[in-house]
Amino acid sequence: YVAARRLAEQGLAVTVAALVPPARLTGDAARMAERWAGPTVPISEADVAAADLIVDALFGAGLSRPLDGAAAEAVARANASGAPILAVDVPSGLHGDRGAPLDGGVAIRAAATVTFVRAKPGHVLLPGRTLCGALTVADIGTPEAVVPSLGVATFLNRPAIWSAALPRPASDGHKYRRGHALVWSGPEFMTGAARLSALAAARAGA
């Protein structure tokens, strides 16, 4: 409902396709639904074929069971529509930790995904990485202190984690101070791994 309101404020024609009738919502969801003045239809009646963009805010990372019924049907129709899909948090149906559809069920195939605070394993593990499309981690005001308080022990392998530990050659250094590398290859016409290893060693200065 928030996304619908913001898009409508930009002049777009927006329809909310709701899995749960607005009258059954509670808490923040109910308050945001009350602020939405545009059309709302049952998700089974959504004309996804006419959409230029589908915003997938059906389920988030906390989903613990495969999609079924009207939700699974809506996901299948959205995937088949040809319209780009923007997923909120994780594509609906995707397990946020394992990076695969729950129990082999259906999941949204998004062109892009916007998540919050930190990327989740499901955003980078296949097939989740493909289902998410382009990933954006957006700031929604959550303090950085929240992350260590959750006991997070998983980190995305990027140069920022380990680049400071790489040795830096001295300005007066020469090849005999940088170590030697011997690469053993397999069969004559299966040298791909050996070539990659030799190239990496050479680039490191050996």
Side-chain angles (χ1 to χ4, degrees):
Y1 290 99
V2 174
R5 188 176 78 248
R6 295 299 191 190
L7 290 169
E9 288 171 354
Q10 298 299 315
L12 280 72
V14 184
T15 297
V16 172
L19 182 63
V20 177
R24 289 173 49 194
L25 297 175
T26 60
D28 288 341
R31 286 189 286 274
M32 293 304 104
E34 289 173 359
R35 297 178 62 182
W36 168 242
T40 301
V41 300
I43 200 165
S44 60
E45 299 177 10
D47 186 7
V48 294
D52 297 308
L53 171 69
I54 297 171
V55 177
D56 165 36
L58 192 58
F59 294 101
L63 188 67
S64 59
R65 58 181 177 78
L67 301 183
D68 57 13
E73 292 171 5
V75 166
R77 288 191 293 121
N79 286 340
S81 70
I85 303 174
L86 173 64
V88 178
D89 200 12
V90 297
S92 291
L94 179 67
H95 194 286
D97 289 335
R98 299 199 300 264
L102 285 141
D103 297 331
V106 297
I108 283 288
R109 292 194 304 268
T113 298
V114 179
T115 193
F116 316 102
V117 187
R118 288 291 187 274
K120 298 168 180 63
H123 291 132
V124 294
L125 297 173
L126 290 172
R129 184 170 63 191
T130 301
L131 294 172
C132 288
L135 180 67
T136 297
V137 180
D139 179 9
I140 56 170
T142 304
E144 286 289 324
V146 168
V147 176
S149 73
L150 297 174
V152 175
T154 305
F155 299 89
L156 191 59
N157 185 8
R158 290 290 186 267
I161 294 178
W162 43 259
S163 60
L166 292 177
R168 300 294 190 269
S171 58
D172 62 345
H174 53 76
K175 63 183 179 181
Y176 295 113
R177 289 183 180 172
R178 297 188 183 184
H180 295 72
L182 174 62
V183 180
W184 283 13
S185 175
E188 180 181 2
F189 297 107
M190 300 178 68
T191 60
R195 290 170 181 270
L196 287 171
S197 300
L199 178 61
R203 290 184 63 181

